[in-house]
Amino acid sequence: MSASARIDLHTHSTASDGTLGPADLVRAAGDAGLDVVALTDHDTTAGWADAVAALPRGLTLIRGAELSCRWFGVEPAIPLHLLAYLFDPDEPELVAELARVRRAREERGERIVRLLQADGIRVSWSEILAGAAGGTVGRPHIAQALIRAGLVATTTEAFGPDWLGERYRLPKDDIDVFRAVALVRAAGGVPVFAHPKASRRGRIVPDDLIAQLAAVGLAGLEADHEEHSPAEREHVRRLAAELGLLVTGSSDFHGTHKTVRLGAFTTGPEAYERIVGLARGVTPVASG
Ligand code: AMP
Ligand code: FE
Ligand code: FE
Ligand code: ZN
């Protein structure tokens, strides 16, 4: 990878809560001038094949996922996201765990809908499932139903305290984060902690936990992310240096469910090469 390569290692397609299909996503990544893009849908690898098939010339695809995890070291447990790159998508334990989390997401979604309905809000679970179109269901799909019903104007408003951010927020049955790191490593993948300081979404974990995860196989930290302030980005970089972890920056692109653009934040070529060098599951894919 050249020193000027543009590398975005965190994006979502319709295989989870993004709005571009995986094929359109890689085409958009090519059009945005990226050299490398990672597809990291929530708790699924379902978009990988379409992304590979549509990969434009000059773009390298990193196959990945973003795992819904939880740290059970405090009560109540704190949710967090683990990016996993280049793991074997057929590793049975990981496959089973991802399927379990996707089911847990559906159960939680249905419970949120029942809470809304109990307050007289007319949204239906079947409509939300249809909106997800077979992809991993998430709160953004419920947010879309609230927008369609005219109850809120934007996804941001739907994630506010009166709606999915607090009043109608329910936990889902996530993967224990230590188990997730172990499973990703066992599948030959490279785990990177996504937006570790994104406190706008809720409670964040202490640096001490990040140190514990680093000791058992966590490879990196996402520093440059739209939900991190400049001071938080610097803090994450310092922590990573102390712990010997690599540092990434990425857009966390979700299509029109968010405003951030592909390539808005990027990862340096050295960190990228470290990820590729550590991976033992699948390889980066480059088209002709
Ligand atoms: P879930 O995975 O179902 O808990 O929903 C979390 C997802 O909602 C995240 O991955 C983001 O894509 C999205 N999200 C979280 N907070 C916001 C927000 N404030 N505005 C828009 N999207 C958000
Ligand atoms: Fe998301
Ligand atoms: Fe995330
Ligand atoms: Zn994400």
Side-chain angles (χ1 to χ4, degrees), residues 10-12 40 42 66 81 83 195 201 225 252 254 258:
H10 185 169
T11 71
H12 297 264
T40 54
H42 296 287
E66 185 173 23
H81 287 171
L83 291 160
H195 44 72
R201 300 175 180 216
H225 185 280
D252 199 357
H254 279 70
K258 285 190 183 176

Side-chain angles (χ1 to χ4, degrees), residues 5-237:
R6 298 193 65 223
I7 303 167
D8 185 343
L9 295 181
H10 185 169
T11 71
H12 297 264
S13 76
T14 51
S16 65
D17 56 4
T19 59
L20 292 184
D24 284 334
L25 176 73
V26 292
R27 286 191 280 260
D31 292 345
L34 294 180
D35 298 288
V36 180
V37 70
L39 178 65
T40 54
D41 278 304
H42 296 287
D43 306 310
T44 186
T45 60
W48 285 13
D50 284 356
V52 168
L55 200 62
R57 283 182 83 85
L59 180 66
T60 296
L61 175 70
I62 295 294
R63 290 169 284 179
E66 185 173 23
L67 276 48
S68 303
C69 300
R70 209 160 275 259
W71 176 48
F72 291 95
V74 289
E75 178 62 49
I78 297 178
L80 61 143
H81 287 171
L82 197 68
L83 291 160
Y85 298 114
L86 301 171
F87 57 89
D88 174 0
D90 298 319
E91 205 288 312
E93 263 191 81
L94 185 55
V95 168
E97 196 68 357
L98 294 182
R100 187 191 62 73
V101 173
R102 290 194 302 271
R103 275 196 307 278
R105 284 174 160 279
E106 298 196 1
E107 285 157 18
R108 178 206 40 173
E110 252 186 297
R111 284 191 290 129
I112 292 175
V113 165
R114 284 202 293 271
L115 278 184
L116 288 161
Q117 289 169 339
D119 285 348
I121 293 154
R122 298 169 70 90
V123 287
S124 84
W125 176 240
S126 61
E127 176 209 349
I128 288 159
L129 264 189
T136 303
V137 181
R139 281 180 290 160
H141 300 111
I142 305 176
Q144 288 309 302
L146 295 174
I147 292 171
R148 282 194 297 271
L151 295 157
V152 297
T154 62
T155 308
T156 306
E157 192 184 344
F159 274 92
D162 294 341
W163 298 99
L164 305 173
E166 199 175 309
R167 176 153 186 192
Y168 298 101
R169 180 175 188 156
L170 292 176
K172 58 189 184 312
D173 197 2
D174 299 315
I175 313 171
D176 176 281
V177 65
F178 286 95
R179 175 166 161 75
V181 168
L183 284 174
V184 170
R185 282 286 188 176
V190 183
V192 171
F193 196 148
H195 44 72
K197 299 288 167 187
S199 53
R200 196 175 84 195
R201 300 175 180 216
R203 291 167 304 146
I204 56 170
V205 302
D207 288 351
D208 178 57
L209 172 73
I210 297 175
Q212 289 177 43
L213 293 171
V216 296
L218 181 70
L221 303 177
E222 189 178 56
D224 292 325
H225 185 280
E226 67 164 348
E227 289 181 50
H228 285 166
S229 69
E232 286 165 344
R233 290 171 202 176
E234 201 39 51
H235 179 96
V236 171
R237 256 189 278 279

Side-chain angles (χ1 to χ4, degrees), residues 5-9 34 224 247-251 262-268:
R6 298 193 65 223
I7 303 167
D8 185 343
L9 295 181
L34 294 180
D224 292 325
V247 163
T248 66
S250 297
S251 67
L262 280 165
F265 299 97
T266 55
T267 295

